[in-house]
Coordinates of all heavy atoms in Angstrom, one line a residue:
M8 N 11.6 -41.3 31.9 CA 12.3 -40.3 31.1 C 11.3 -39.2 30.7 O 10.2 -39.4 30.3 CB 12.9 -41.0 29.9 CG 13.9 -40.1 29.1 SD 14.2 -40.6 27.5 CE 15.2 -42.1 27.8
N9 N 11.8 -37.9 30.8 CA 10.9 -36.8 30.4 C 11.2 -36.4 28.9 O 12.1 -35.8 28.5 CB 11.2 -35.6 31.3 CG 10.3 -34.4 31.1 OD1 9.5 -34.4 30.1 ND2 10.3 -33.5 31.9
W10 N 10.2 -36.9 28.0 CA 10.4 -36.7 26.6 C 10.4 -35.3 26.2 O 11.2 -34.9 25.3 CB 9.3 -37.4 25.9 CG 9.5 -38.9 25.8 CD1 8.9 -39.9 26.5 CD2 10.5 -39.6 25.0 NE1 9.4 -41.1 26.2 CE2 10.4 -41.0 25.3 CE3 11.4 -39.2 24.0 CZ2 11.1 -41.9 24.6 CZ3 12.2 -40.1 23.4 CH2 12.0 -41.5 23.7
S11 N 9.6 -34.5 26.8 CA 9.5 -33.0 26.4 C 10.8 -32.4 26.6 O 11.2 -31.6 25.8 CB 8.4 -32.3 27.2 OG 7.2 -33.1 27.2
H12 N 11.4 -32.7 27.7 CA 12.7 -32.1 28.1 C 13.8 -32.4 27.0 O 14.5 -31.6 26.5 CB 13.2 -32.6 29.4 CG 14.6 -32.1 29.8 ND1 14.8 -30.8 30.2 CD2 15.8 -32.8 29.8 CE1 16.1 -30.7 30.5 NE2 16.7 -31.9 30.2
W13 N 13.8 -33.7 26.6 CA 14.8 -34.2 25.7 C 14.6 -33.6 24.3 O 15.5 -33.3 23.5 CB 14.9 -35.7 25.7 CG 15.7 -36.1 26.9 CD1 15.1 -36.8 27.9 CD2 17.0 -35.9 27.2 NE1 16.1 -37.0 28.9 CE2 17.3 -36.4 28.5 CE3 18.1 -35.3 26.5 CZ2 18.5 -36.4 29.1 CZ3 19.3 -35.2 27.1 CH2 19.5 -35.8 28.4
I14 N 13.3 -33.5 23.9 CA 13.0 -33.0 22.6 C 13.3 -31.5 22.5 O 13.9 -31.0 21.5 CB 11.5 -33.3 22.2 CG1 11.4 -34.8 22.0 CG2 11.0 -32.4 21.0 CD1 10.0 -35.3 21.7
R15 N 13.1 -30.7 23.6 CA 13.4 -29.3 23.7 C 15.0 -29.1 23.6 O 15.5 -28.3 22.9 CB 12.9 -28.7 25.0 CG 13.1 -27.2 25.0 CD 12.5 -26.5 26.2 NE 11.0 -26.4 26.0 CZ 10.4 -25.4 25.4 NH1 11.1 -24.4 24.9 NH2 9.1 -25.4 25.3
Q16 N 15.7 -30.0 24.3 CA 17.2 -29.9 24.3 C 17.7 -30.3 22.9 O 18.6 -29.6 22.4 CB 17.8 -31.0 25.3 CG 17.6 -30.6 26.7 CD 18.4 -29.4 27.1 OE1 19.5 -29.2 26.7 NE2 17.9 -28.6 28.0
S17 N 17.1 -31.3 22.2 CA 17.5 -31.6 20.9 C 17.3 -30.5 19.9 O 18.1 -30.2 19.1 CB 16.7 -32.9 20.4 OG 16.7 -33.9 21.3
H18 N 16.1 -29.8 20.1 CA 15.7 -28.7 19.2 C 16.8 -27.6 19.4 O 17.2 -27.0 18.4 CB 14.3 -28.2 19.5 CG 13.7 -27.3 18.5 ND1 13.2 -27.7 17.3 CD2 13.6 -26.0 18.5 CE1 12.8 -26.7 16.6 NE2 13.0 -25.6 17.3
R19 N 17.2 -27.4 20.6 CA 18.1 -26.3 20.9 C 19.5 -26.6 20.3 O 20.1 -25.7 19.6 CB 18.3 -26.2 22.5 CG 18.9 -25.0 22.9 CD 19.0 -25.0 24.4 NE 17.7 -24.8 25.1 CZ 17.5 -25.0 26.4 NH1 18.5 -25.3 27.2 NH2 16.3 -24.8 26.9
W20 N 20.0 -27.8 20.4 CA 21.3 -28.2 19.9 C 21.2 -28.2 18.3 O 22.2 -27.9 17.7 CB 21.8 -29.5 20.5 CG 22.3 -29.2 21.9 CD1 21.7 -29.5 23.0 CD2 23.5 -28.6 22.2 NE1 22.4 -29.1 24.1 CE2 23.6 -28.5 23.6 CE3 24.6 -28.0 21.5 CZ2 24.6 -27.9 24.3 CZ3 25.7 -27.5 22.2 CH2 25.7 -27.4 23.6
L21 N 20.1 -28.7 17.8 CA 19.9 -28.8 16.4 C 20.0 -27.4 15.8 O 20.5 -27.1 14.7 CB 18.6 -29.5 16.0 CG 18.7 -31.0 16.1 CD1 17.3 -31.6 16.1 CD2 19.5 -31.6 15.0
A22 N 19.4 -26.4 16.5 CA 19.4 -25.0 16.1 C 20.8 -24.5 15.9 O 21.1 -23.8 15.0 CB 18.6 -24.2 17.0
L23 N 21.6 -24.9 16.9 CA 23.1 -24.4 16.9 C 23.8 -25.1 15.7 O 24.5 -24.4 14.9 CB 23.8 -24.9 18.1 CG 23.6 -23.9 19.3 CD1 24.3 -24.5 20.5 CD2 24.2 -22.5 19.0
A24 N 23.5 -26.4 15.4 CA 24.1 -27.1 14.3 C 23.7 -26.5 13.0 O 24.5 -26.3 12.1 CB 23.8 -28.6 14.4
F25 N 22.4 -26.2 12.9 CA 21.8 -25.6 11.7 C 22.5 -24.2 11.4 O 22.9 -23.9 10.3 CB 20.3 -25.4 11.8 CG 19.7 -24.6 10.7 CD1 19.3 -25.2 9.5 CD2 19.4 -23.2 10.9 CE1 18.8 -24.5 8.5 CE2 18.9 -22.5 9.8 CZ 18.5 -23.1 8.6
T26 N 22.6 -23.4 12.5 CA 23.2 -22.1 12.3 C 24.7 -22.2 11.8 O 25.1 -21.5 10.9 CB 23.2 -21.3 13.6 OG1 21.8 -21.3 14.1 CG2 23.6 -19.9 13.5
A27 N 25.4 -23.1 12.5 CA 26.8 -23.3 12.0 C 26.9 -23.8 10.6 O 27.7 -23.3 9.8 CB 27.5 -24.4 13.0
G28 N 26.0 -24.7 10.2 CA 26.0 -25.2 8.8 C 25.6 -24.1 7.8 O 26.1 -24.0 6.7
F29 N 24.7 -23.2 8.3 CA 24.3 -22.1 7.5 C 25.4 -21.1 7.2 O 25.6 -20.7 6.1 CB 23.1 -21.3 8.2 CG 22.5 -20.2 7.4 CD1 21.4 -20.5 6.6 CD2 23.1 -19.0 7.4 CE1 20.9 -19.4 5.8 CE2 22.6 -17.9 6.6 CZ 21.4 -18.2 5.8
I30 N 26.2 -20.9 8.2 CA 27.4 -20.0 8.1 C 28.4 -20.6 7.1 O 28.9 -19.9 6.2 CB 28.0 -19.7 9.5 CG1 27.1 -18.8 10.3 CG2 29.4 -19.0 9.3 CD1 27.4 -18.7 11.8
V31 N 28.7 -21.9 7.2 CA 29.6 -22.6 6.3 C 29.0 -22.4 4.9 O 29.8 -22.0 3.9 CB 29.7 -24.1 6.6 CG1 30.5 -24.8 5.6 CG2 30.4 -24.2 8.0
N32 N 27.7 -22.6 4.7 CA 27.1 -22.5 3.3 C 27.3 -21.1 2.8 O 27.5 -20.9 1.6 CB 25.7 -22.9 3.4 CG 25.5 -24.4 3.0 OD1 25.2 -24.7 1.9 ND2 25.6 -25.2 4.0
A33 N 27.1 -20.1 3.7 CA 27.1 -18.7 3.3 C 28.6 -18.4 2.8 O 28.7 -17.7 1.7 CB 26.8 -17.8 4.4
F34 N 29.6 -18.9 3.5 CA 31.0 -18.6 3.1 C 31.3 -19.3 1.7 O 31.9 -18.7 0.9 CB 31.9 -19.0 4.2 CG 32.1 -18.0 5.2 CD1 31.6 -18.1 6.5 CD2 32.8 -16.8 4.9 CE1 31.8 -17.1 7.5 CE2 33.0 -15.8 5.8 CZ 32.5 -15.9 7.1
V35 N 30.8 -20.5 1.6 CA 31.0 -21.2 0.3 C 30.4 -20.5 -0.8 O 30.9 -20.3 -1.9 CB 30.5 -22.7 0.4 CG1 30.6 -23.3 -1.0 CG2 31.4 -23.5 1.4
A36 N 29.1 -20.0 -0.6 CA 28.4 -19.2 -1.6 C 29.1 -17.9 -1.9 O 29.2 -17.5 -3.1 CB 27.0 -19.0 -1.1
M37 N 29.7 -17.3 -0.9 CA 30.3 -16.0 -1.2 C 31.6 -16.1 -2.0 O 32.0 -15.2 -2.7 CB 30.7 -15.3 0.2 CG 29.5 -14.5 0.8 SD 29.9 -13.5 2.1 CE 30.5 -14.6 3.4
R38 N 32.2 -17.3 -1.9 CA 33.4 -17.6 -2.7 C 33.1 -17.8 -4.1 O 33.9 -17.9 -5.0 CB 34.2 -18.8 -2.1 CG 35.1 -18.4 -1.0 CD 35.8 -19.6 -0.4 NE 36.1 -20.6 -1.4 CZ 36.5 -21.9 -1.1 NH1 36.6 -22.2 0.1 NH2 36.8 -22.7 -2.1
G39 N 31.8 -18.0 -4.4 CA 31.3 -18.2 -5.8 C 31.5 -19.6 -6.3 O 31.2 -19.9 -7.4
A40 N 32.0 -20.5 -5.4 CA 32.2 -21.9 -5.8 C 30.9 -22.7 -5.7 O 30.1 -22.3 -4.8 CB 33.3 -22.5 -5.0
E41 N 30.8 -23.7 -6.5 CA 29.6 -24.6 -6.3 C 30.0 -25.6 -5.1 O 31.1 -26.2 -5.1 CB 29.3 -25.4 -7.5 CG 28.1 -26.2 -7.3 CD 27.5 -26.7 -8.6 OE1 27.7 -26.1 -9.7 OE2 26.7 -27.7 -8.6
A42 N 29.1 -25.6 -4.1 CA 29.3 -26.4 -2.9 C 29.3 -27.9 -3.2 O 28.5 -28.4 -4.1 CB 28.3 -26.0 -1.9
A43 N 30.1 -28.7 -2.5 CA 30.0 -30.1 -2.5 C 28.6 -30.5 -1.9 O 28.1 -29.8 -1.1 CB 31.1 -30.8 -1.8
F44 N 28.1 -31.7 -2.3 CA 26.8 -32.2 -1.8 C 26.7 -32.2 -0.2 O 25.7 -31.7 0.4 CB 26.5 -33.5 -2.3 CG 25.1 -34.0 -2.0 CD1 24.0 -33.4 -2.4 CD2 25.0 -35.1 -1.1 CE1 22.7 -33.8 -2.0 CE2 23.7 -35.6 -0.8 CZ 22.6 -34.9 -1.2
W45 N 27.8 -32.6 0.4 CA 27.8 -32.7 1.9 C 27.7 -31.4 2.6 O 27.2 -31.3 3.7 CB 29.0 -33.5 2.4 CG 30.3 -32.9 2.2 CD1 31.2 -33.1 1.1 CD2 31.0 -31.9 3.0 NE1 32.3 -32.3 1.3 CE2 32.2 -31.6 2.4 CE3 30.6 -31.2 4.2 CZ2 33.1 -30.6 2.9 CZ3 31.5 -30.3 4.7 CH2 32.7 -30.0 4.1
V46 N 28.1 -30.3 1.9 CA 27.9 -28.9 2.4 C 26.5 -28.6 2.6 O 26.0 -28.0 3.6 CB 28.7 -27.9 1.6 CG1 28.5 -26.5 2.2 CG2 30.2 -28.2 1.6
Y47 N 25.7 -29.0 1.6 CA 24.2 -28.7 1.7 C 23.6 -29.6 2.8 O 22.7 -29.1 3.5 CB 23.5 -29.1 0.3 CG 24.0 -28.3 -0.8 CD1 24.5 -28.9 -2.0 CD2 23.9 -26.9 -0.8 CE1 24.9 -28.1 -3.1 CE2 24.3 -26.1 -1.9 CZ 24.8 -26.7 -3.0 OH 25.2 -26.0 -4.1
L48 N 24.2 -30.8 3.0 CA 23.6 -31.6 4.0 C 23.8 -31.0 5.4 O 23.0 -31.3 6.3 CB 24.3 -33.0 4.0 CG 23.9 -33.9 2.8 CD1 24.6 -35.2 2.9 CD2 22.4 -34.1 2.7
L49 N 24.8 -30.1 5.6 CA 25.1 -29.5 6.9 C 23.9 -28.7 7.3 O 23.7 -28.5 8.5 CB 26.3 -28.6 6.8 CG 27.7 -29.3 6.7 CD1 28.8 -28.2 6.6 CD2 28.0 -30.2 7.8
V50 N 23.1 -28.1 6.4 CA 21.9 -27.4 6.8 C 20.6 -28.3 6.6 O 19.7 -28.1 7.4 CB 21.7 -26.1 6.0 CG1 22.6 -25.0 6.5 CG2 21.9 -26.3 4.5
L51 N 20.6 -29.1 5.6 CA 19.4 -29.9 5.3 C 19.1 -30.9 6.4 O 17.9 -31.0 6.9 CB 19.5 -30.6 4.0 CG 19.3 -29.7 2.8 CD1 19.5 -30.5 1.5 CD2 18.0 -29.0 2.8
V52 N 20.1 -31.6 6.9 CA 19.9 -32.6 8.0 C 19.4 -32.0 9.3 O 18.3 -32.4 9.8 CB 21.1 -33.5 8.2 CG1 21.0 -34.4 9.4 CG2 21.4 -34.3 7.0
P53 N 20.0 -30.9 9.8 CA 19.5 -30.3 11.0 C 18.1 -29.7 10.8 O 17.2 -29.9 11.7 CB 20.4 -29.2 11.4 CG 21.7 -29.6 10.7 CD 21.3 -30.3 9.5
L54 N 17.9 -29.1 9.6 CA 16.5 -28.5 9.4 C 15.5 -29.6 9.3 O 14.4 -29.4 9.9 CB 16.6 -27.7 8.1 CG 15.3 -26.9 7.7 CD1 15.1 -25.9 8.8 CD2 15.5 -26.2 6.4
F55 N 15.8 -30.7 8.7 CA 14.9 -31.8 8.6 C 14.5 -32.4 10.0 O 13.3 -32.8 10.2 CB 15.5 -32.9 7.7 CG 14.6 -34.0 7.4 CD1 13.6 -33.8 6.4 CD2 14.7 -35.3 7.9 CE1 12.8 -34.9 6.0 CE2 13.9 -36.3 7.6 CZ 12.9 -36.1 6.6
L56 N 15.4 -32.3 10.9 CA 15.1 -32.8 12.3 C 14.5 -31.7 13.2 O 13.8 -32.0 14.1 CB 16.4 -33.3 13.0 CG 17.1 -34.5 12.3 CD1 18.5 -34.7 12.8 CD2 16.2 -35.7 12.5
L57 N 14.8 -30.4 12.8 CA 14.2 -29.3 13.5 C 12.7 -29.2 13.3 O 11.9 -28.8 14.2 CB 14.8 -27.9 13.1 CG 16.1 -27.5 13.8 CD1 16.7 -26.4 12.9 CD2 15.8 -27.0 15.2
L58 N 12.2 -29.7 12.1 CA 10.8 -29.6 11.8 C 9.9 -30.5 12.7 O 9.1 -29.9 13.4 CB 10.6 -29.9 10.3 CG 9.2 -29.7 9.8 CD1 8.7 -28.3 10.0 CD2 9.1 -30.2 8.4
P59 N 10.2 -31.8 12.9 CA 9.4 -32.6 13.8 C 9.5 -32.2 15.2 O 8.5 -32.2 16.0 CB 9.8 -34.0 13.5 CG 11.1 -33.9 12.9 CD 11.2 -32.6 12.1
T60 N 10.8 -31.9 15.7 CA 10.9 -31.5 17.1 C 10.2 -30.2 17.4 O 9.6 -30.0 18.4 CB 12.4 -31.4 17.5 OG1 13.1 -30.6 16.6 CG2 13.1 -32.8 17.5
G61 N 10.3 -29.2 16.4 CA 9.6 -27.9 16.5 C 8.1 -28.1 16.5 O 7.4 -27.4 17.3
L62 N 7.6 -28.9 15.7 CA 6.2 -29.1 15.6 C 5.7 -29.8 17.0 O 4.6 -29.4 17.5 CB 5.8 -30.0 14.5 CG 5.9 -29.3 13.1 CD1 5.6 -30.3 12.0 CD2 5.0 -28.1 13.0
Y63 N 6.5 -30.7 17.5 CA 6.2 -31.3 18.8 C 6.1 -30.2 19.9 O 5.1 -30.1 20.7 CB 7.2 -32.3 19.2 CG 7.0 -32.9 20.6 CD1 6.2 -34.0 20.7 CD2 7.6 -32.4 21.7 CE1 6.0 -34.6 22.0 CE2 7.4 -32.9 22.9 CZ 6.6 -34.0 23.1 OH 6.3 -34.6 24.3
L64 N 7.1 -29.3 19.9 CA 7.1 -28.2 20.9 C 5.9 -27.2 20.7 O 5.4 -26.7 21.6 CB 8.4 -27.4 20.8 CG 9.7 -28.1 21.3 CD1 10.9 -27.2 21.0 CD2 9.6 -28.4 22.7
F65 N 5.5 -27.1 19.4 CA 4.3 -26.3 19.1 C 3.0 -26.9 19.7 O 2.2 -26.2 20.3 CB 4.2 -26.1 17.6 CG 3.1 -25.2 17.2 CD1 3.3 -23.8 17.3 CD2 1.9 -25.7 16.7 CE1 2.2 -22.9 16.9 CE2 0.9 -24.8 16.3 CZ 1.0 -23.5 16.4
V66 N 2.9 -28.2 19.5 CA 1.6 -28.9 19.9 C 1.6 -29.1 21.4 O 0.5 -29.2 21.9 CB 1.5 -30.2 19.1 CG1 0.3 -31.0 19.6 CG2 1.3 -29.9 17.6
L67 N 2.8 -29.2 22.0 CA 2.8 -29.5 23.5 C 1.9 -28.7 24.4 O 1.0 -29.3 25.1 CB 4.3 -29.4 24.0 CG 4.6 -30.2 25.2 CD1 4.4 -31.7 25.1 CD2 6.0 -29.8 25.7
P68 N 1.9 -27.4 24.4 CA 1.0 -26.6 25.2 C -0.4 -26.8 24.9 O -1.3 -26.8 25.7 CB 1.5 -25.1 25.1 CG 2.3 -25.1 23.9 CD 2.9 -26.5 23.6
L69 N -0.7 -27.0 23.6 CA -2.1 -27.2 23.1 C -2.6 -28.5 23.7 O -3.7 -28.6 24.1 CB -2.1 -27.2 21.6 CG -1.7 -25.9 20.9 CD1 -1.7 -26.1 19.4 CD2 -2.6 -24.7 21.2
A70 N -1.7 -29.5 23.6 CA -2.1 -30.9 24.1 C -2.4 -30.8 25.5 O -3.4 -31.5 26.0 CB -1.0 -31.9 23.8
V71 N -1.6 -30.1 26.3 CA -1.9 -29.9 27.8 C -3.2 -29.3 28.0 O -4.0 -29.8 28.8 CB -0.7 -29.1 28.4 CG1 -1.1 -28.8 29.9 CG2 0.6 -29.9 28.4
R72 N -3.6 -28.3 27.2 CA -4.8 -27.6 27.3 C -6.0 -28.5 27.0 O -7.0 -28.6 27.7 CB -4.9 -26.4 26.4 CG -5.5 -25.1 27.1 CD -5.4 -23.9 26.2 NE -4.1 -23.5 25.9 CZ -3.8 -22.6 24.9 NH1 -4.7 -22.2 24.1 NH2 -2.5 -22.3 24.7
W73 N -5.8 -29.3 25.9 CA -6.9 -30.2 25.5 C -7.1 -31.3 26.6 O -8.3 -31.6 26.9 CB -6.5 -31.0 24.2 CG -6.4 -30.1 23.0 CD1 -7.1 -28.9 22.8 CD2 -5.6 -30.3 21.9 NE1 -6.8 -28.4 21.6 CE2 -5.8 -29.2 21.0 CE3 -4.6 -31.2 21.5 CZ2 -5.2 -29.0 19.8 CZ3 -4.0 -31.1 20.3 CH2 -4.2 -30.0 19.5
R74 N -6.0 -31.8 27.2 CA -6.1 -32.8 28.2 C -6.8 -32.2 29.5 O -7.7 -32.9 30.1 CB -4.7 -33.3 28.6 CG -4.7 -34.8 28.8 CD -3.3 -35.2 29.2 NE -2.4 -35.3 28.1 CZ -1.1 -35.6 28.2 NH1 -0.6 -35.7 29.4 NH2 -0.3 -35.7 27.2
R75 N -6.5 -31.0 29.8 CA -7.1 -30.3 31.0 C -8.6 -30.2 30.8 O -9.4 -30.4 31.7 CB -6.5 -29.0 31.3 CG -5.1 -29.1 31.9 CD -4.9 -28.0 32.9 NE -3.5 -28.0 33.3 CZ -2.6 -27.1 33.0 NH1 -2.9 -26.1 32.3 NH2 -1.3 -27.2 33.4
R76 N -9.0 -29.8 29.6 CA -10.4 -29.6 29.3 C -11.1 -30.9 29.4 O -12.3 -30.9 29.9 CB -10.5 -29.0 27.8 CG -11.8 -28.2 27.7 CD -11.9 -27.6 26.3 NE -10.9 -26.5 26.1 CZ -10.6 -25.9 24.9 NH1 -11.3 -26.3 23.8 NH2 -9.8 -25.0 24.8
G77 N -10.5 -32.0 29.0 CA -11.1 -33.3 29.1 C -11.3 -33.7 30.5 O -12.2 -34.5 30.8
E78 N -10.5 -33.2 31.5 CA -10.6 -33.6 32.9 C -11.9 -33.1 33.6 O -12.4 -33.7 34.5 CB -9.4 -33.1 33.7 CG -8.2 -34.0 33.6 CD -6.9 -33.3 34.2 OE1 -7.1 -32.4 35.0 OE2 -5.8 -33.8 33.9
V79 N -12.3 -31.9 33.2 CA -13.4 -31.2 33.8 C -14.7 -32.0 33.6 O -15.0 -32.5 32.6 CB -13.6 -29.8 33.3 CG1 -14.8 -29.1 34.1 CG2 -12.3 -29.0 33.5
Ligands
LIG21 C1 11.6 -26.1 11.1 C2 10.6 -25.6 11.7 C3 10.6 -25.2 13.2 C4 9.5 -25.3 14.0 C5 8.1 -25.8 13.6 C6 9.9 -24.7 15.3 C7 9.1 -24.6 16.4 C8 9.5 -24.2 17.6 C9 8.6 -24.1 18.8 C10 7.2 -24.4 18.8 C11 9.4 -23.8 19.8 C12 9.0 -23.6 21.3 C13 8.7 -22.1 21.6 C14 8.3 -21.9 23.0 O1 8.3 -22.8 23.9 O2 8.0 -20.7 23.4 C15 10.8 -23.6 19.4 C16 11.9 -23.2 20.1 C17 13.1 -22.9 19.6 N1 13.5 -23.0 18.3 FE1 12.4 -23.7 16.8 N2 11.2 -24.3 15.2 C18 11.7 -24.6 13.9 C19 12.9 -24.3 13.4 C20 13.9 -23.7 14.1 C21 15.2 -23.2 13.6 C22 15.5 -23.2 12.1 C23 15.9 -22.6 14.6 C24 17.2 -21.9 14.6 C25 18.1 -22.0 13.7 C26 15.1 -22.8 15.8 C27 15.5 -22.4 17.1 C28 14.8 -22.6 18.2 C29 15.3 -22.3 19.6 C30 16.7 -21.9 19.9 C31 14.2 -22.5 20.4 C32 14.2 -22.4 22.0 C33 14.5 -23.8 22.5 C34 14.7 -23.7 24.1 O3 15.8 -23.6 24.5 O4 13.7 -23.9 24.8 N3 13.9 -23.4 15.5 N4 10.8 -23.9 18.0

C-alpha cells in the first residue's frame, strides 16, 4: 500500500469537508444565533486531522532528500 498516496487523498477530502463545515459555520454566525456544539465540530474535526496529514506532506519531500543524501 502506498501510504503517501492515501495521506494526500485524505488531506484533499478533509480540505473539502473543512470548507463545507466552514461555510455552515459562517451562515450560522451570520444569523447571529449561537451555534450548537456539533456545528463547531464540523470544522474542528477536519482541521484536527488536516494538521497531521499536512505535516506529513510537508516532511515527505524533505525526508526523501535526507534519505538520498544518506545513500551517497
Ligand atoms: C492544518 C495545517 C495544514 C498543513 C500543515 C498543511 C500542509 C500541506 C502540505 C505540506 C501540502 C502539500 C503541498 C505540496 O505537495 O505542494 C498540502 C496540500 C494541500 N492542502 Fe494542506 N495543510 C494544512 C491545512 C489545510 C487546509 C485547512 C486546507 C483547506 C481547507 C488544505 C488544503 C490542501 C489541499 C487541497 C492540498 C493539495 C492536496 C493534493 O491534492 O495534492 N490544507 N497541505
Side-chain angles (χ1 to χ4, degrees):
M8 192 198 287
N9 187 347
W10 282 103
S11 310
H12 174 77
W13 285 110
I14 289 178
R15 186 174 284 276
Q16 289 292 324
S17 309
H18 193 78
R19 194 179 291 172
W20 284 103
L21 284 166
L23 277 178
F25 172 83
T26 307
F29 185 93
I30 290 169
V31 171
N32 267 266
F34 275 109
V35 171
M37 278 191 295
R38 275 177 37 194
E41 185 161 336
F44 183 65
W45 65 265
V46 176
Y47 297 126
L48 290 183
L49 291 179
V50 281
L51 285 179
V52 170
L54 187 61
F55 189 72
L56 296 169
L57 276 163
L58 186 60
T60 52
L62 288 176
Y63 177 87
L64 290 176
F65 182 79
V66 172
L67 198 63
L69 300 173
V71 169
R72 221 176 296 163
W73 294 329
R74 220 181 281 172
R75 283 217 189 111
R76 205 176 291 171
E78 276 172 17
V79 181

